[in-house]
Amino acid sequence: MAGATLTPAPGGYVLRGRRNFAAGVGVADRFVVGAPSTETGEILIVLVDPGRPGVLTVPVRDRLGQRLAAAGTVDFDDVRVERAQVIGAAARDEHAVSPAAALAPLALRLALAHVSLGIAQEALAEARDISRAAPSAAERGAAAPAARSGTDPYLLSAYGELAIDAHTAAAVVDRATDAMARGLSAGRNVSMETCADISVLVAAAEAVTGRATAHITARVLELTDRSGPPGITDRAGSGAALDRFWRNARVLTAQSSPAHRLRDIGDHYLNGSHPPFAHRP
């Protein structure tokens, strides 16, 4: 079973096929599904009740990260969709979308940038607590294994670098968030130029947080005396499992290409072009 299609039927449609969802498969009250009509070819957006006959949810058990997000696949086997559950048709051309509607995918992308930033900030905070709790040289004794203390110049410089990364990412995300809030407040009066500016700021937030989060979540494994690949319990015995931040970050950064974001930002800055509003992998 592959893809998903909507076949016209009396009073509505019949949904067949499969869809992958990044979150909420096991807990969703409704699935929002986009599928082409077998009659017209247009993409229709429909709401589907998970309790409907023919809906089979299959959670992903062995995901690298973001396991609490409940990602998975959903099979639709001749699922009845009433006309009242049809939200509408997706625009064939993103430039035909109203400026207000164009903010929706941008808001989702910005929300994921906030998630990425939160992962970086929490990883850094937990690593700091572990480093603070590490024994000093006097406490270790001459024969004890080496461990970095809060007075180690190398450790201080490393944390300074990571703190700057986190502060920079937060500043870029805040700027994009403020712009998004103003755009949403304008409602239907928001202009396409404003949407383009917001799109650039969101792309910048994605690019900066993606780099910062990948760097921070990998670096803290070294700073807390971790050895070997992610997954090894830290030597301090704290049970902090900092590798979970690295795994969660990898799931997010694998979803989008930094090269696309940088190209869109550069094209807008150099040529004044409007970047795409929809998500591009």
Side-chain angles (χ1 to χ4, degrees):
M1 184 180 293
T5 59
L6 286 161
T7 301
Y13 295 86
V14 173
L15 178 61
R16 300 184 181 94
R18 171 177 294 172
R19 274 286 182 264
N20 296 320
F21 291 88
V25 163
V27 298
D29 294 323
R30 294 291 185 275
F31 293 124
V32 180
V33 182
S37 166
T38 57
E39 183 178 52
T40 64
E42 65 179 346
I43 304 297
L44 299 177
I45 310 300
V46 300
L47 287 177
V48 181
D49 186 340
R52 279 270 190 176
V55 178
L56 175 63
T57 60
V58 184
V60 175
R61 304 295 184 187
D62 57 350
R63 200 180 190 198
L64 174 66
Q66 299 287 343
R67 295 172 182 171
L68 294 180
T73 61
V74 181
D75 290 335
F76 302 101
D77 185 10
D78 292 339
V79 178
R80 176 73 181 178
V81 177
E82 308 296 336
R83 291 197 184 279
Q85 275 69 61
V86 179
I87 299 176
R92 296 178 182 272
D93 183 353
E94 70 169 12
H95 296 291
V97 178
S98 69
L103 290 178
L106 295 178
L108 175 59
R109 287 167 50 188
L110 181 57
L112 292 178
H114 274 277
V115 173
S116 182
L117 176 61
I119 291 173
Q121 291 174 328
E122 187 61 23
L124 189 56
E126 285 201 20
R128 176 193 59 196
D129 292 342
I130 293 173
S131 294
R132 283 176 175 174
S136 65
E139 293 171 329
R140 291 195 309 268
R148 300 189 182 97
S149 70
T151 59
D152 185 339
Y154 168 82
L155 190 68
L156 297 178
S157 296
Y159 271 108
E161 174 193 358
L162 298 185
I164 289 174
D165 286 347
H167 288 316
T168 301
V172 176
V173 170
D174 285 345
R175 186 180 178 192
T177 302
D178 290 341
M180 177 64 72
R182 291 192 297 271
L184 293 174
S185 297
R188 296 184 181 275
N189 295 322
V190 67
S191 67
M192 192 60 75
E193 287 296 331
T194 298
C195 286
D197 292 339
I198 293 173
S199 180
V200 171
L201 292 175
V202 170
E206 291 174 307
V208 174
T209 57
R211 286 178 172 179
T213 303
H215 180 57
I216 291 172
T217 55
R219 195 82 170 86
V220 295
L221 299 180
E222 305 170 18
L223 299 181
T224 53
D225 284 335
R226 299 288 296 272
S227 64
I232 305 299
T233 304
D234 62 85
R235 295 181 195 170
S238 67
L242 294 183
D243 61 284
R244 74 185 188 278
F245 295 112
W246 179 87
R247 289 186 283 105
N248 289 341
R250 285 301 301 143
V251 170
L252 284 180
T253 56
Q255 298 298 316
S256 60
S257 168
H260 286 157
R261 301 294 178 248
L262 295 177
R263 185 184 66 190
D264 293 339
I265 295 169
D267 196 12
H268 177 78
Y269 185 79
L270 186 63
N271 303 313
S273 63
H274 287 191
F277 301 128
H279 173 79
R280 180 164 59 185

